[in-house]
Amino acid sequence: YKKMYEFNSKHEKLSTYIHERQLLGYSYSTNLIDIYRQAAHDLMTIEEVNTSLTQEKVHFVGEAVNVISRKGKDSGRKYLKVEVRDHTGSCFAMLCDTEKHWKLQEHLDDNNRIVKEEDIVVIRGSKGENIVFAEKIGIQEIGILSRISQIKE
């Protein structure tokens, strides 16, 4: 237990958030924006993102709730649609390949995988009508232990 405590104490607020989410279904003592705003001061809540003007630049953090990865019927280009939520609400973000910019491949190169449900993601993009067109989606790799069996000798 001591090793687990020492490991998790490196990211105490994030560890608390994750354990509360796992045990209670929500975090009552902290939220993602308070944790990540220390590193990125321009982060917005999802409520602020949803009330932003069309084409306004947005930058926010949240938890991926629903992830869809497909090819467009007409264009045949790949896209990724992610529903993201925080303590203020939820929104959709979309990462699309275009002729000039292969954003999905860039996402794979940066993160080594596609976003999956329950990932904590930081998204930078432009607000559209009821969606955010993402320029970048960063998966936050979290080194938090929740079980003794996760400790490697």
Side-chain angles (χ1 to χ4, degrees):
Y1 287 103
K2 183 179 178 190
K3 285 182 181 180
M4 193 164 108
Y5 169 77
E6 288 171 348
F7 187 85
N8 288 343
S9 65
K10 295 174 192 168
H11 304 286
E12 188 175 340
K13 286 185 179 183
L14 189 56
S15 176
T16 300
Y17 173 84
I18 289 170
H19 286 105
E20 288 175 357
R21 289 273 304 131
Q22 288 174 343
L23 297 172
L24 303 173
Y26 66 96
S27 177
Y28 69 90
S29 64
T30 191
N31 56 61
L32 289 173
I33 194 147
D34 290 341
I35 296 166
Y36 283 92
R37 200 175 256 163
Q38 295 169 2
H41 302 293
D42 64 336
L43 285 176
M44 308 165 76
T45 64
I46 290 181
E47 181 179 46
E48 292 169 328
V49 170
N50 287 335
T51 58
S52 296
L53 300 173
T54 302
Q55 296 183 346
E56 187 175 338
K57 297 289 184 188
V58 295
H59 188 202
F60 61 100
V61 63
E63 187 176 343
V65 179
N66 191 11
V67 180
I68 298 169
S69 179
R70 294 196 179 124
K71 280 188 176 183
K73 288 181 184 178
D74 298 331
S75 67
R77 292 193 186 101
K78 295 178 184 177
Y79 69 89
L80 181 67
K81 186 175 180 182
V82 183
E83 183 179 1
V84 183
R85 78 165 172 227
D86 71 2
H87 67 287
T88 64
S90 66
C91 70
F92 288 95
M94 196 164 193
L95 191 65
C96 310
D97 281 343
T98 64
E99 284 183 25
K100 296 180 182 179
H101 204 77
W102 297 94
K103 291 183 182 179
L104 200 54
Q105 185 58 48
E106 205 173 275
H107 170 74
L108 284 168
D109 293 343
D110 292 345
N111 297 291
N112 298 318
R113 65 180 176 88
I114 292 214
V115 176
K116 64 181 187 231
E117 291 177 8
E118 297 185 7
D119 276 344
I120 294 175
V121 293
V122 176
I123 299 174
R124 187 178 295 275
S126 304
K127 176 76 166 61
E129 289 288 324
N130 302 321
I131 199 160
V132 172
F133 293 104
E135 294 166 13
K136 283 220 179 269
I137 299 178
I139 301 170
Q140 304 303 297
E141 294 296 338
I142 305 161
I144 303 297
L145 302 176
S146 54
R147 292 183 300 278
I148 298 287
S149 62
Q150 294 173 313
I151 296 173
K152 295 177 182 163
E153 295 295 327

